[in-house]
Amino acid sequence: MSDIAVIGLGAMGRPIARNLLRAGYDVVVWNRSDRPADEIVAAGARRAASVAEAMHSPVVFSVLADDRAVAETFIDSGVLARAPGGTVHVNLATVSAGLARRAGAAHAEHGVGYVAAPVFGRVPVAEAGALNILAAGEQGLIDRVQPLFDVIGSRTWRLGDRPEQANIVKILGNYLIACAIQSLGEAVSLAEGAGVESGQFVELLTSTLFPGTVYAGYGSMIADRRYQPPGFTTVLGRKDLHLALDAANDHDIPLPIGELLRTVFDQAVADGRGADDWAVIAEQQPR
């Protein structure tokens, strides 16, 4: 396998494409706007004139923003009907379980393989080729693209034969991060109210009770009130929270904390903080 297309060259798509180039793959790229593609073409990739052209690669990675972007680009555009048989589309986006099911059916109808592979890891992790890849779909297809996963990630978690299983896990992971940010904001607010220095408080917690990247990273951001540049925006966080609430509704499982977070995220966006890092929801807690 020497050819791969990367569709969507945002903050995550660009380092993924660069790592594939460095690994010796012939990379074809397409992006809605030209400038992000220019950077990757300058590094050695070839530019596709359209998504339909990119779909002639044996494997296509897409890194798009949401359900609407994926549906418009692949399902409703007619490109699947023109794709060669045997093409495999790997969707790295965080999308709803419903969209994953719809995409799987549409791809199967046209003889195109479909693998859901959302990832855990921010941009620096993507740049290092150390993403955790949450993969679900036909196992033979995952076997076929595993060498590519090994380039962009440190571990591939095989989560089932149905694409939506990977998306549910990604949605739940982001839901738990949002819960951690909310609880950190509450705890830091109370600590400051009692006269405790917030940076030391966070350092203590993350060195003892809550080690790990989530509490350490977001805790320091909250203590320092540092929400720019964003690693993941409030608008995207709200989108993923709503995906979790929708999935919970589908399975008739209540998420009481999720309903609280809905209000918090909505208020943060209404307050003009949509482009800040989603850790800014901690500011909704009086301090």
Side-chain angles (χ1 to χ4, degrees):
M1 187 191 308
S2 60
D3 294 322
I4 178 170
V6 179
I7 294 176
L9 299 171
M12 295 292 285
R14 291 194 302 275
I16 286 171
R18 282 195 296 266
N19 285 335
L20 291 165
L21 280 169
R22 293 189 188 109
Y25 287 93
D26 295 326
V27 179
V28 176
V29 296
W30 182 89
N31 194 68
R32 192 178 301 274
S33 57
D34 289 336
R35 189 170 180 178
D38 292 342
E39 174 188 332
I40 307 303
V41 169
R46 293 181 289 119
R47 188 193 310 268
S50 64
V51 174
E53 180 182 327
M55 290 294 290
H56 280 75
S57 299
V59 176
V60 178
F61 278 7
S62 66
V63 197
L64 302 176
D66 52 27
D67 282 30
R68 179 178 178 180
V70 172
E72 288 179 350
T73 304
F74 293 100
I75 302 174
D76 301 328
S77 64
V79 299
L80 295 178
R82 302 194 297 275
T87 297
V88 180
H89 173 205
V90 180
N91 183 4
L92 285 84
T94 302
V95 298
S96 69
L99 189 282
R101 287 189 290 268
R102 183 184 172 205
H107 283 70
E109 179 182 351
H110 296 290
V112 177
Y114 183 74
V115 173
V119 300
F120 284 144
R122 288 188 163 211
V123 172
V125 179
E127 292 172 341
L131 295 166
N132 274 275
I133 300 165
L134 318 177
E138 183 182 327
Q139 295 303 299
L141 296 178
I142 298 176
D143 289 340
R144 180 176 165 189
V145 301
Q146 185 63 56
L148 298 164
F149 287 163
D150 291 340
V151 170
I152 68 171
S154 61
R155 180 168 178 178
T156 301
W157 301 80
R158 299 195 181 204
L159 299 168
D161 296 324
R162 293 179 286 117
E164 65 268 24
Q165 291 171 300
N167 292 116
I168 284 289
V169 171
K170 174 59 189 293
I171 290 164
L172 290 175
N174 282 7
Y175 172 70
L176 289 172
I177 294 173
C179 292
I181 292 171
Q182 174 66 21
S183 62
L184 278 165
E186 294 174 8
V188 168
S189 180
L190 181 53
E192 288 183 342
V196 177
E197 199 276 316
S198 58
Q200 185 182 41
F201 174 65
V202 169
E203 182 183 5
L204 167 65
L205 291 180
T206 57
S207 299
T208 56
L209 300 177
F210 301 107
T213 57
V214 170
Y215 280 92
Y218 289 111
S220 65
M221 292 172 70
I222 292 167
D224 296 339
R225 289 179 163 86
R226 175 174 41 86
Y227 308 117
Q228 285 288 341
F232 191 69
T233 67
T234 308
V235 167
L236 290 176
R238 181 174 68 166
K239 182 264 291 186
D240 286 359
L241 171 66
H242 287 182
L243 293 181
L245 291 169
D246 289 344
N249 185 63
D250 290 343
H251 292 276
D252 197 26
I253 295 174
L255 295 180
I257 297 174
E259 294 299 338
L260 167 66
L261 287 168
R262 186 202 302 271
T263 301
V264 171
F265 272 99
D266 287 350
Q267 188 60 55
V269 172
D271 289 346
R273 311 305 295 265
D276 286 331
D277 193 280
W278 64 333
V280 81
I281 65 169
E283 296 299 318
Q284 303 303 315
Q285 180 71 22
R287 299 167 69 181

